[in-house]
Amino acid sequence: MTRNGPHHIHADMRPALFMLRNLGATCIASMTDMAVGYPQALVRRVGHPVMWIGGLIGLLDRRLNTPDAAPARRRANGFVASMLIVSVPTAAAMLMDHVIRRVLPRWLALPLTALLASSLVAQRSLHDHVEAVAIQAQASLPAARRAVSHIVGRDPEQLDEAGVLRAATETLAENFSDGIVAPLLWMAAGGLPGTVFYKSVNTADSMIGHRTPRHEAFGYAAARLDDLVNLPASRLSALWIILAARTLKGMSARDAVRILWRDARQHRSPNAGWPEAAMAGALGIRLSGPRAYDGVRVAEPWVGDGTPDLRPADLHRALALYRRACLIQTLAGMTATALLARASRRR
């Protein structure tokens, strides 16, 4: 067999076919989540994959994060816990992916993989939760506070109407990155196991990656790993927001770039500042700033140089920007899939 024989051609094309399959599944997963989300009836019957991962995290937190242990020991246990939190769900996803591809024909394996992965994307869920805040803010401040309490960690009773709306807008920007862009990006890179790997890291950070007496040491590894795996998506999410602003009337892509360049690195988070700064600049508003967690006042720098006094209409504008950014991301994925498929056929 010469080097140019069919076996060598097949081997040379494996990486391209792997990426093509992943990109195709990513596009289907994105559109599926955008259209129907994760049905609440299914949550009530079997739960949600994030809930299953959360159960593992809670178990390890109770078993390994003992209050009487020294900080060094708790940090070491946190590294062990983080390794298990990531490896167990990812290994299960790898096995599931392998079985699906071995047992089912390609025309069925791809959409099934995408359907499973779509449960780990939150486009529709995030939109609905943030839209509820905008709608309730038009009714009353107490109603808006109740709605925002479902999506933020700060004390809603300390927030006025503008504070509630800023909190919802910040959550929209941050979760666009780590709830939508990141899981889809990791799926494009690693298929279903890549998505599960990312979601395991992100869920661990949300549950134990806090700077509290209980989790300062134990959650250190989870928090640092989350910062690392979110780095590419945070930058990409800012790009999608800038491009979305370029296509919408009354929004400024130029200001999004300016505020991003000026304020993103001043944010308390190494990643959340990127989509938040891009959104603040695009909308001409001011985000972040001082806030209260568990009754404790925390001084944070402002992001943006517009008005901090948001109204429900501003949150609706933010949702329009978010929807357009999601659409641009999906179209970019479809374009990349088509170009890769064309290149593969030529080879």
Side-chain angles (χ1 to χ4, degrees):
M1 182 71 65
T2 65
R3 180 161 181 78
N4 293 324
H7 292 294
H8 288 288
I9 293 174
H10 178 72
D12 290 344
M13 290 186 65
R14 282 177 183 171
L17 292 175
F18 175 76
M19 283 300 302
L20 183 60
R21 184 179 71 241
N22 290 350
L23 280 170
T26 300
C27 292
I28 297 172
S30 176
M31 290 185 288
T32 300
D33 176 68
M34 192 183 300
V36 299
Y38 192 86
Q40 285 301 309
L42 202 55
V43 174
R44 290 190 293 269
R45 284 181 173 272
V46 300
H48 188 278
V50 171
M51 296 166 62
W52 308 336
I53 296 170
L56 173 62
I57 297 168
L59 174 65
L60 293 170
D61 189 21
R62 291 190 298 272
R63 294 291 180 85
L64 298 179
N65 190 18
T66 52
D68 57 338
R73 180 64 179 175
R74 294 172 78 174
R75 179 174 287 201
N77 285 352
F79 275 91
V80 174
S82 296
M83 182 176 66
L84 292 171
I85 291 164
V86 169
S87 60
V88 172
T90 304
M94 291 175 68
L95 177 61
M96 184 182 298
D97 187 58
H98 177 75
V99 170
I100 288 172
R101 288 189 289 109
R102 289 293 297 270
V103 172
L104 299 178
R106 289 183 181 179
W107 65 266
L108 184 57
L110 181 66
L112 179 58
T113 301
L115 181 63
L116 292 170
S118 71
S119 67
L120 299 173
V121 186
Q123 286 176 103
R124 190 176 185 90
S125 174
L126 177 60
H127 181 278
D128 291 348
H129 279 88
V130 174
E131 186 178 44
V133 178
I135 293 171
Q136 294 302 323
Q138 294 172 315
S140 70
L141 178 57
R145 285 171 172 167
R146 285 193 298 272
V148 84
S149 69
H150 297 298
I151 57 174
V152 301
R154 72 193 73 170
D155 183 4
E157 297 304 317
Q158 302 294 319
L159 301 175
D160 58 10
E161 182 185 74
V164 167
L165 295 170
R166 284 198 307 272
T169 306
E170 292 161 17
T171 296
L172 182 66
E174 182 176 353
N175 283 278
F176 173 58
S177 175
D178 61 24
I180 292 96
V181 178
L184 290 173
L185 184 61
W186 279 92
M187 185 178 184
L192 178 62
T195 315
V196 172
F197 163 80
Y198 169 76
K199 207 63 183 179
S200 300
V201 174
N202 188 242
T203 306
D205 177 65
S206 67
M207 290 183 64
I208 63 174
H210 307 294
R211 304 193 71 174
T212 61
R214 176 168 178 78
H215 291 120
E216 176 78 30
F218 185 74
Y220 176 83
R224 298 291 77 76
L225 183 57
D226 184 72
D227 288 342
L228 180 62
V229 301
N230 271 300
L231 191 146
S234 65
R235 278 63 176 171
L236 187 59
S237 64
L239 174 62
W240 298 147
I241 290 171
I242 291 167
L243 294 177
R246 184 69 179 82
T247 69
L248 290 171
K249 186 178 180 180
M251 300 187 192
S252 173
R254 178 175 296 181
D255 285 342
V257 173
R258 179 175 62 84
I259 297 300
L260 177 71
W261 183 258
R262 191 191 72 186
D263 292 349
R265 291 181 178 85
Q266 309 303 318
H267 198 274
R268 64 189 180 280
S269 166
N271 292 315
W274 289 74
E276 195 171 308
M279 186 167 284
L283 297 172
I285 60 176
R286 194 183 305 179
L287 297 173
S288 195
R291 73 269 319 280
Y293 293 100
D294 299 322
V296 179
R297 192 76 171 170
V298 180
E300 298 287 353
W302 289 100
V303 172
D305 52 16
T307 177
D309 297 323
L310 273 61
R311 294 292 179 263
D314 294 308
L315 188 51
H316 283 296
R317 291 174 63 234
L319 283 164
L321 182 64
Y322 164 79
R323 289 192 297 268
R324 185 60 58 89
C326 288
L327 176 61
I328 288 172
Q329 175 177 244
T330 301
L331 292 175
M334 293 172 66
T335 301
T337 303
L339 291 174
L340 185 57
R342 183 178 180 182
S344 297
R345 286 195 297 270
R346 286 183 173 179
R347 291 182 66 184

